[in-house]
């Protein structure tokens, strides 16, 4: 299969287009334009665009051509002061745990959070990405990791969009995050922490501090982006389903997409018949945990 897709190399959580405010074609016009654009593509079997925010699809005029994605976005509106958001949104037990851990660290030394960017932020970025590399070393692709590192370093060094949030105890970095500030939104792309301080949940404390700083900056949305990690529920983020487009460009592509669409239906049938675990064992696979 030859698949045409967007060359993000794993560095973008959303695929969005820059759309002029004056670009407002009606549906019929957009369908004709889209057909003409697709006809200009090089030979391929499938056109694939994943992880699109609903508002982005609407601005592009192609929401009606897309379908729900397996990915979701997680965003927290900053619609009140931080204490109020904390009271309304945070899981109560998580809130108590963070208060307790923050107090313990403050007894050890001076705990502070700030944002840095530009060349001065590169050492903190290197720490953050190395902590993430160690955490996910079993699933990392070294080539892709190197490409992502180079991209993030360039983005932070440029200093226009990217910010490194750093949580420090007596000037020692114990947690950090990489975020983009765009319009009234801060998008968190990476969070990591020093495992030596794992007992005090420095990753969660970093996110809490980042949210408080975003509120002070007057931002409107604290965006935890894609991924269904449990900690996003702790902060009470809203879940928004993303959209995707998979369009066949050849007979082979049409057949491949039909098979892909059939897989979940086959899985549900096997589960209902009580045969799914048997099929997984015959295939040498362990059934996925619920």
């Amino acid at each position: 299969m030859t698949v045409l897709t967007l060359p993000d190399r794993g560095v973008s959580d959303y695929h969005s287009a820059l759309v002029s405010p004056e670009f407002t074609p009606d549906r019929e016009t957009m369908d004709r334009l889209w057909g003409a654009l697709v006809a200009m593509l090089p030979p391929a079997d499938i056109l694939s665009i994943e992880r699109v925010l609903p508002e982005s699809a609407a601005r592009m005029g192609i929401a009606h051509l897309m379908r729900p994605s397996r990915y979701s976005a997680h965003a927290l509106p900053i619609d009140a002061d931080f204490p109020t958001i904390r009271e309304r949104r945070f899981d109560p037990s998580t809130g108590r745990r963070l208060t307790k851990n923050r107090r313990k660290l403050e007894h050890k030394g001076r705990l502070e959070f700030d944002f840095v960017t530009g060349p001065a932020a590169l050492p903190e970025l290197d720490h953050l990405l190395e902590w993430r590399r160690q955490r996910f070393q079993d699933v990392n692709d070294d080539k892709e990791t190197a490409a992502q590192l180079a991209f993030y370093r360039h983005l932070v060094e440029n200093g226009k969009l990217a910010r490194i949030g750093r949580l420090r105890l007596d000037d020692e970095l114990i947690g950090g995050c990489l975020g983009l500030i765009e319009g009234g939104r801060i998008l968190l792309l990476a969070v990591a922490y020093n495992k030596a301080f794992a007992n005090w949940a420095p990753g969660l404390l970093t996110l809490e501090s980042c949210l408080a700083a975003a509120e002070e900056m007057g931002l409107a949305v604290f965006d935890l982006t894609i991924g269904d990690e449990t900690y996003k529920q702790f902060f009470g983020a809203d879940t928004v389903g993303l959209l995707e487009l998979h369009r066949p460009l050849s007979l082979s592509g049409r057949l491949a997409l039909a098979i892909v669409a059939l897989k979940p239906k086959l899985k549900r049938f096997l589960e209902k018949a009580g045969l799914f675990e048997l099929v997984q064992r015959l295939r040498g696979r362990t059934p996925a945990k619920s």
Side-chain angles (χ1 to χ4, degrees):
M1 292 287 107
T2 299
V3 180
L4 296 180
T5 187
L6 302 175
D8 77 307
R9 298 297 291 272
V11 300
S12 63
D13 274 13
Y14 304 141
H15 286 149
S16 300
L18 298 178
V19 182
S20 167
E22 288 76 31
F23 182 75
T24 56
D26 58 43
R27 178 165 172 172
E28 182 180 355
T29 301
M30 188 61 214
D31 283 346
R32 290 201 306 270
L33 174 59
W34 183 252
L37 290 169
V38 171
M40 296 173 66
L41 294 173
D45 298 298
I46 295 172
L47 170 63
S48 174
I49 303 176
E50 295 187 322
R51 308 194 305 272
V52 179
L53 286 165
E55 60 259 35
S56 296
R59 285 200 303 270
M60 289 187 284
I62 59 172
H64 64 288
L65 302 176
M66 309 189 87
R67 67 182 187 188
S69 168
R70 64 182 183 277
Y71 298 104
S72 296
H74 305 273
L76 181 64
I78 305 176
D79 53 4
D81 57 66
F82 173 70
T84 302
I85 293 174
R86 198 179 193 279
E87 177 66 25
R88 290 176 180 173
R89 290 277 186 166
F90 282 25
D91 170 70
S93 62
T94 299
R96 291 191 295 270
R97 177 190 174 197
L98 292 178
T99 299
K100 182 179 179 180
N101 287 343
R102 188 176 294 274
R103 188 179 300 120
K104 287 182 177 180
L105 288 174
E106 289 173 342
H107 287 160
K108 292 179 177 292
R110 186 180 72 259
L111 187 66
E112 56 185 357
F113 177 88
D114 63 357
F115 286 115
V116 288
T117 192
L122 292 179
E124 279 84 358
L125 174 66
D126 289 341
H127 279 300
L128 190 158
L129 295 179
E130 175 59 20
W131 290 336
R132 281 180 57 84
R133 187 196 66 79
Q134 294 176 6
R135 180 181 176 188
F136 299 110
Q137 59 185 345
D138 293 339
V139 296
N140 283 340
D141 180 303
D142 291 341
K143 184 178 179 181
E144 292 300 307
T145 299
Q148 293 164 15
L149 174 60
F151 177 80
Y152 288 139
R153 283 183 62 87
H154 181 73
L155 194 65
V156 171
E157 189 174 21
N158 184 268
K160 293 182 179 179
L161 287 174
R163 301 288 187 277
I164 298 296
R166 55 184 185 179
L167 184 67
R168 294 180 295 166
L169 182 65
D170 286 339
D171 294 326
E172 180 181 1
L173 189 68
I174 66 172
C177 59
L178 167 62
L180 304 181
I181 296 180
E182 186 273 324
R185 180 185 298 257
I186 181 169
L187 302 100
L188 274 296
L189 300 183
V191 182
Y193 59 88
N194 186 339
K195 289 195 295 185
F197 294 87
N199 289 340
W200 294 276
L204 295 180
L205 288 174
T206 296
L207 289 173
E208 181 187 45
S209 299
C210 185
L211 172 58
E215 186 269 323
E216 289 182 3
M217 294 167 64
L219 298 177
V221 179
F222 186 67
D223 195 330
L224 294 169
T225 63
I226 67 170
D228 296 325
E229 295 86 353
T230 305
Y231 73 81
K232 297 177 182 180
Q233 301 174 14
F234 294 161
F235 291 99
D238 295 331
T239 299
V240 177
L242 300 181
L243 300 175
E244 64 186 19
L245 182 147
H246 298 293
R247 175 166 176 164
L249 303 178
S250 72
L251 182 59
S252 296
R254 190 176 299 278
L255 178 60
L257 289 178
I259 293 173
V260 170
L262 184 62
K263 284 181 67 177
K265 298 178 182 178
L266 178 60
K267 180 182 177 182
R268 288 194 295 270
F269 170 78
L270 292 173
E271 288 176 336
K272 189 174 181 179
L275 299 174
F276 182 68
E277 292 187 9
L278 173 61
V279 172
Q280 290 288 77
R281 286 197 298 270
L282 292 174
R283 298 176 66 198
R285 296 186 179 182
T286 304
K289 293 182 180 180
S290 62

